[in-house]
């Protein structure tokens, strides 16, 4: 599987982002939260976005660093869900913590969140 995180996989649509916040379902493993929404009209299986609260991190440098770490953790672990789920989804990862994380922490939490997502989707498909 290709481990890149290309332009087509990035969530950029304002309409879709607001729809995710309004109608999406959430999975949490503090300090990471995944909000997802099944989508029908997409060219790729997963569209993904990341966000960090300006309230918790005033400095844009800190917010951008956390977003880079989140994108890298997702890029390395997206094979967990990409190969094991059917359908198209839009993902939005929120960082909820108040302190600067290390990559190892985020990588571990990303694996937990993606495994929870995989289990939840597989349960819905079997019902």
């Amino acid at each position: 599987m290709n481990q890149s995180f290309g332009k087509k996989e990035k969530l950029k649509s304002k309409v879709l982002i607001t729809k995710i916040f309004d109608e999406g379902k959430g999975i949490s493993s503090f300090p990471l939260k995944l909000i997802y929404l099944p989508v029908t009209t997409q060219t790729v299986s997963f569209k993904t976005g990341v966000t960090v609260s300006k309230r918790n991190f005033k400095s844009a440098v800190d917010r951008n660093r956390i977003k880079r770490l989140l994108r890298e953790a997702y890029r390395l672990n997206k094979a967990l869900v990409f190969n094991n789920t059917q359908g198209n989804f839009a993902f939005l990862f929120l960082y909820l913590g108040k302190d600067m994380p290390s990559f190892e922490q985020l990588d571990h939490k990303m694996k937990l969140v993606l495994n929870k997502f995989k289990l939840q989707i597989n349960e819905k498909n079997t019902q």
Side-chain angles (χ1 to χ4, degrees), residues 5 9-13 16-17 20 47-49 90-92:
F5 186 52
E9 293 181 54
K10 294 182 179 169
L11 179 64
K12 295 183 178 186
S13 169
L16 190 53
I17 291 171
I20 289 173
K47 289 244 185 210
T48 306
F91 285 168
L92 190 63

Side-chain angles (χ1 to χ4, degrees), residues 56-71:
N56 294 338
F57 294 94
K58 304 290 185 209
S59 171
V61 173
D62 293 338
R63 287 194 308 274
N64 290 338
R65 168 128 177 100
I66 295 170
K67 288 191 280 188
R68 281 195 308 269
L69 292 173
L70 283 171
R71 283 191 295 265

Side-chain angles (χ1 to χ4, degrees), residues 15-24 35 37 51 92 94:
V15 174
L16 190 53
I17 291 171
T18 56
K19 195 172 180 183
I20 289 173
F21 277 115
D22 293 340
E23 303 171 17
I35 303 175
L37 184 70
T51 183
L92 190 63
L94 303 165

Side-chain angles (χ1 to χ4, degrees), residues 54-102:
K54 191 173 183 178
R55 177 182 293 169
N56 294 338
F57 294 94
K58 304 290 185 209
S59 171
V61 173
D62 293 338
R63 287 194 308 274
N64 290 338
R65 168 128 177 100
I66 295 170
K67 288 191 280 188
R68 281 195 308 269
L69 292 173
L70 283 171
R71 283 191 295 265
E72 181 67 8
Y74 171 74
R75 183 187 73 82
L76 293 174
N77 295 307
K78 70 179 180 179
L80 293 173
V81 292
F82 192 81
N83 297 329
N84 301 318
T85 58
Q86 305 292 329
N88 297 336
F89 292 92
F91 285 168
L92 190 63
F93 288 99
L94 303 165
Y95 183 76
L96 304 173
K98 295 183 187 258
D99 52 344
M100 183 63 73
S102 69

